[in-house]
Amino acid sequence: MMTTQNSPVYNFSAGPAILPDAVLRTAQQELLDYNGSGLSVMTMSHRSDVFMSILHHAEQDLRQLLNIPDNYKILFLQGGASAQFNMMTLNLAHGFKRADSVVSGNWSRIAHQQMGKLTQTEIHLAAHGGDLFDYQDIPPAASWDIDPQSAFVHFCSNETVHGLQYLDLPKPDGLPTLVCDMSSEILSRQINVSDYGMIYAGAQKNIGPSGATIVIIREDLLDRSDDSIPDVWNYKKHVIKQGMYNTPATYPIYISGLVFRWLQAQGGVAQIEKTNALKASLLYQAIDNSNGFYINNIKEHARSRMNVIFHTADKATDDLFIQEASLRGLSMLNGYKSMGGMRASIYNAMPLQGVEALIDFMRDFQRRHG
Ligand SMILES: *Cc1c(COP(=O)(O)O)cnc(C)c1O
């Protein structure tokens, strides 16, 4: 955590989000002179041996952390997760009549709206988790109205805004190729990459700074990337050029690489998964044991371990909570702009002590205002 004077500041921002202190300190030390090169990573050619090595190691470490099989390619692209809504459709649905899409919250809703642009493919709504801005449960995979012949079925495993997560991830059996937006949960728990055709994630939630987007794609799907797709949006071109089709987001990739090494030092994904489960359960317990002072209406089996949303009985109290918390070093607890309320994003880099400090404050605030 950062500190102001002597007290710690815990950053609960949903994204761009908290990064491990140790990573930022390393970056600070290396800012002007990376590894004796006399250059900053920010100012060196993306084709230099030094940067190529940074990219290579970031890729290898991510592969190791998520146990990514050899027949999957890893790309670090630009444009954020939002660009993937269209890029995946242009590439993976080319020549297909239909692609399926599951809406379980704000991000998969936006994805669903955008996917239909610039494509002949019908984007079929396979499931819908609730009314606009009132998602309290996730539609289970067994309820999805899919066609196995579809190009793919797209879903979002963790809805950052609405605080919903597929804690039980869908199994691929009987489904079209699974494509998943894991922006706000990638590396938070063990997953079976082979269940997916493609996984993507913007870096700025659980990986690194904004600017890099991770795409993990099964090799055979690259055959779908038609030449008519502009090269910069074409997965196959990026893979052929080994991630150097154009200038990648070099500095965000470097920081992401430092985060991967930090994660390995924490004991890897299996270990951080345990801490994440503990952090989330403590926070939900604090909400559930508040005699209704703090409210979270998400069905228990769908409660996100990354983004914990809650509110009190009225907006004035919510605002006061956020304001007082901020003065106590509990920063960025405001909910999504159109949602209001509070949201505590407790990504990998949030230490257990940060969650405990938040729970202490919640109890104290309730004593004074309950
Ligand atoms: C933040 C977020 C996005 C959008 O990411 P950008 O990088 O801003 O395009 C998409 N999906 C999920 C799940 C997110 O959390």
Side-chain angles (χ1 to χ4, degrees):
M1 87 247 44
M2 301 292 111
T3 53
T4 55
Q5 282 131 23
N6 291 319
S7 53
V9 170
Y10 293 108
N11 174 7
F12 292 93
S13 170
I18 185 170
L19 288 169
D21 265 10
V23 163
L24 293 178
R25 275 188 229 292
T26 302
Q28 183 180 40
Q29 277 163 15
E30 296 179 338
L31 183 62
L32 295 180
D33 178 8
Y34 176 76
N35 208 10
S37 66
L39 299 172
S40 173
V41 175
M42 222 182 287
T43 61
M44 61 177 65
S45 164
H46 58 295
R47 298 187 192 281
S48 62
D49 288 345
V50 179
F51 183 75
M52 296 287 266
S53 160
I54 289 172
L55 178 64
H56 174 74
H57 283 103
E59 208 182 292
Q60 286 310 110
D61 290 342
L62 179 62
R63 197 175 281 283
Q64 185 269 331
L65 283 165
L66 279 179
N67 216 349
I68 302 174
D70 290 342
N71 64 325
Y72 284 74
K73 299 290 184 189
I74 299 172
L75 293 170
F76 293 85
L77 301 178
Q78 303 206 46
S82 303
Q84 291 309 308
F85 301 160
N86 299 100
M87 195 164 168
M88 71 175 173
T89 313
L90 291 178
N91 283 263
L92 301 184
H94 185 87
F96 283 78
K97 277 212 201 71
R98 166 172 158 173
D100 292 319
S101 137
V102 173
V103 174
S104 57
N106 192 57
W107 285 115
S108 51
R109 181 183 63 81
I110 296 175
H112 180 76
Q113 280 174 352
Q114 294 304 314
M115 281 159 67
K117 298 191 177 180
L118 287 181
T119 179
Q120 305 297 317
T121 306
E122 176 212 350
I123 307 301
H124 172 77
L125 182 63
H128 196 253
D131 294 332
L132 191 62
F133 293 119
D134 187 24
Y135 300 88
Q136 300 185 0
D137 201 357
I138 42 163
S143 74
W144 295 356
D145 174 32
I146 46 88
D147 179 350
Q149 302 304 315
S150 286
F152 59 79
V153 55
H154 175 264
F155 76 109
C156 175
S157 57
N158 183 68
E159 285 286 356
T160 323
V161 172
H162 288 92
L164 296 145
Q165 187 172 23
Y166 277 90
L167 293 176
D168 271 330
L169 285 162
K171 288 281 151 219
D173 322 287
L175 296 176
T177 302
L178 271 174
V179 176
C180 187
D181 177 356
M182 291 199 185
S183 293
S184 49
E185 74 143 293
I186 191 165
L187 292 167
S188 71
R189 57 170 163 167
Q190 291 183 291
I191 53 164
N192 185 16
V193 173
S194 328
D195 286 348
Y196 301 85
M198 187 183 124
I199 292 166
Y200 65 95
Q204 74 273 22
K205 312 293 172 40
N206 213 13
I207 298 177
S210 58
T213 310
I214 311 267
V215 170
I216 302 165
I217 184 168
R218 209 176 60 222
E219 236 164 25
D220 60 283
L221 293 173
L222 296 170
D223 292 343
R224 298 190 190 177
S225 294
D226 194 75
D227 255 359
S228 63
I229 301 165
D231 289 5
V232 73
W233 297 332
N234 188 308
Y235 293 131
K236 190 158 57 182
K237 300 285 172 182
H238 284 279
V239 166
I240 288 170
K241 299 283 183 171
Q242 300 186 309
M244 292 283 173
Y245 166 73
N246 64 337
T247 317
T250 52
Y251 202 75
I253 291 170
Y254 156 70
I255 301 283
S256 301
L258 294 181
V259 172
F260 298 152
R261 267 193 266 154
W262 173 84
L263 202 46
Q264 288 170 329
Q266 306 305 301
V269 176
Q271 200 54 42
I272 208 95
E273 177 173 4
K274 287 186 196 151
T275 313
N276 288 335
L278 175 64
K279 283 166 5 191
S281 78
L282 290 175
L283 192 45
Y284 284 116
Q285 267 170 41
I287 294 168
D288 292 342
N289 294 338
S290 70
N291 290 318
F293 184 77
Y294 299 111
I295 303 159
N296 169 293
N297 288 325
I298 310 290
K299 295 277 176 300
E300 200 170 327
H301 72 114
R303 281 174 157 185
S304 170
R305 289 183 184 155
M306 293 280 99
N307 311 98
V308 177
I309 62 167
F310 57 101
H311 60 274
T312 65
D314 59 89
K315 182 176 176 328
T317 311
D318 290 349
D319 290 348
L320 191 63
F321 180 97
I322 293 160
Q323 200 185 348
E324 280 193 20
S326 168
L327 292 172
R328 294 264 288 261
L330 304 165
S331 187
M332 310 254 148
L333 278 164
N334 46 299
Y336 188 71
K337 55 191 187 233
S338 46
M339 288 272 289
M342 281 75 81
R343 171 172 51 173
S345 296
I346 49 175
Y347 299 123
N348 285 350
M350 173 61 66
L352 180 60
Q353 296 91 302
V355 173
E356 289 169 343
L358 173 59
I359 293 169
D360 283 347
F361 172 73
M362 287 167 72
R363 295 204 176 114
D364 175 56
F365 184 86
Q366 184 177 357
R367 258 193 305 274
R368 288 180 291 109
H369 300 281

